[in-house]
Amino acid sequence: MALLTPGDIRSKKIPLASRFKQGYDLDAVDDFLEECAQTVDELGKQQSKTQTRYTESDDDVVNSDLPPLFS
C-alpha cells in the first residue's frame, strides 16, 4: 500500500451522489477515509519504530565505556 501524501489528500476529488440523492457518493467518501486511516496508522507505526531505535541507540551511548567527547 502506498502512503498518501498531503498533495494526494488535498487534490482528491470525490464524486457527487447520483442525481436522485444530494451530497457526495458515500462509498467514495468511505473508501477515501479508509485510505487516510491506513496512512495515519502506518505513519504511527513508523514513528514508534523510530522512537524505539532512537531510545535504544541513546541508551547504548549512555551505557558505553567510551570517554566523553567533550569535558
Side-chain angles (χ1 to χ4, degrees):
M1 170 198 76
L3 296 179
L4 294 173
T5 66
D8 293 335
I9 295 169
R10 288 186 184 103
S11 67
K12 179 69 175 179
K13 302 293 183 220
I14 298 176
L16 295 175
S18 67
R19 41 185 244 188
F20 301 110
K21 296 178 184 177
Q22 292 183 350
Y24 291 100
D25 179 325
L26 294 180
D27 289 335
V29 171
D30 288 343
D31 291 345
F32 185 62
L33 290 175
E34 182 58 31
E35 282 184 75
C36 291
Q38 289 175 356
T39 295
V40 170
D41 286 343
E42 183 60 31
L43 292 173
K45 289 176 190 175
Q46 289 177 11
Q47 189 275 336
S48 180
K49 287 178 186 176
T50 300
Q51 183 63 41
T52 299
R53 276 185 263 150
Y54 172 79
T55 301
E56 289 171 354
S57 66
D58 193 40
D59 289 345
D60 290 345
V61 171
V62 169
N63 296 324
S64 75
D65 293 332
L66 298 174
L69 293 175
F70 304 103
S71 315

